[in-house]
Amino acid sequence: MAPPLYKTSPRTPSYLYPLVIALSLFTLTALLLYKVDNFVSQTKTVVGHNLEPTPWHQFPAKTFEEETRHGRAYKIIHCSYLTCRHRNDNPKERLRAPSGSNQTTTMCPEFFGAIHRDLQPWVATKISNAHLVEAQKYAAFRVIIVGGKLYVDLYYACVQSRAMFTIWSFLQLLRRYPGIVPDVDMMFDCMDKPTINRTEHQSMPLPLFRYCTTVEHFDIPFPDWSFWGWSEINVRPWHVEFPDIKLGSTALTWEQKIPIAYWKGNPDVASPVRTELLNCNDTMVWGAQIMRQDWKKAAKTGFKESKLSSQCKHQYKIYAEGYAWSVSLKYILACGSVALIISPQYQDFFSRGLIPQNNFWLVDALDLCPSIKRAVDWGNDHPAEAEAMGRRGQELMETLNMDRVYDYMFHLISEYAKLQDFKPNPPSTAMEVCAESVLCYADEKQTAFLKQSAASPSQAPPCTLPPPAKTG
Ligand SMILES: *[C@@H]1O[C@H](CO)[C@@H](O)[C@H](O)[C@H]1NC(C)=O
Ligand SMILES: *[C@@H]1O[C@H](CO)[C@@H](O)[C@H](O)[C@H]1NC(C)=O
Ligand SMILES: *[C@@H]1O[C@H](CO)[C@@H](O)[C@H](O)[C@H]1NC(C)=O
């Protein structure tokens, strides 16, 4: 009888128990870690973990501070899954009706009327789930508000911290107007170029929010992230930046300001207008000075020279669109110089308040340098009128304080929500986001701007939206 090849033991000897327990614990832990890893690698975050850049506008993939896999897993679980659960959510506070302490309503600025025009394409058809399914193909994320809570479904990463600050802006709106922001479901893209071409999407206009639009697009403009701060280039929240620019602009009297047209920016952004602008760089011939903004250098010197409030030294300031629309418009107008705006194609939500030769000077892109020269000559011949034009531009931006920015968001969202023919409900892939979870992901600079731009409940109701203009 051959001896067994190995001795099988039906029972584990008792002295091996600790080892078996240790081994199974180890396997269990390994399995759990594997599961967690899997789970974490599928969790998309407001800063862009596990998200690719938008295919329609490529940019370098994001890198993250936390170096180890463990660090990343810990952060994602902590910020995405645990933070909102453990915050202090008080439904009474969240759903509280607006306080009746101050019911004085003011009329919204006239440019709020654009809300009706922007939403006109859906007045007859309403906005259906099918619209959202189609619009999702062009969206970086989806924002769903239900019962005063914010849910976000993330599809693509946004450049820099745009997604973080835009999601923050929704959270602040909810904080400012508890109980009155309606349930809503909206698709959002955070890149610069509008994509819903009116001709191509004529048969089914798609509702897609972004920071700008053109007359040829259905894209719906929404206040851009920089009102809450642009941490990468040290532009502070608007409620701090505007008063500072305005104060800076009074450091010199009109007569003391340099009587030439000034532009400083990045000319290398595939913008024909900016390239052409380089040809006007001659103060003697064209009355213009065109300067290159070197952000890398500015970052090294702590952005001291690029400080916006110290950039109001000229009587004329040129605005040139970049790759698409440019955030710089509001800072240029804030200066109180005559804004020389080169035939703009793109509109953002407030630029519909611009009136040519009233609160800005319209420059002809097809006759660029001579057109700039004419503006400068006119202003130098009519200093009082030029100063008044500059002041009206600054006043437009003063009208646009954060109260009004939130009011615009409120009315836009409310009017949009009225058009929905379904009851918003967050999809299973969406995650609740709260102020604490956004802050959880923020780096030091972002945290400072987020905290600085936090809203508090309004004592007054939103301004009154003018009714749609009668057409025909
Ligand atoms: C009521 O609201 C108006 C407009 O926002 C504001 O100017 C005024 O100071 C408020 N009054 C009180 C008592 O809060
Ligand atoms: C919109 O689409 C039409 C038809 O394809 C095209 O001719 C037009 O140039 C497009 N407009 C823009 C702004 O891209
Ligand atoms: C424009 O001209 C000024 C003065 O000659 C010069 O310092 C500046 O570098 C020029 N700007 C560009 C973008 O070349």
Side-chain angles (χ1 to χ4, degrees), residues 197-200 214 216-217:
N197 182 316
R198 281 190 183 247
T199 314
E200 288 167 4
T214 80
E216 290 173 70
H217 291 90

Side-chain angles (χ1 to χ4, degrees), residues 101-102 104 106 403-404 459-460:
S101 67
N102 189 345
T104 352
T106 44
D403 292 359
R404 292 293 92 83
Q459 294 307 306

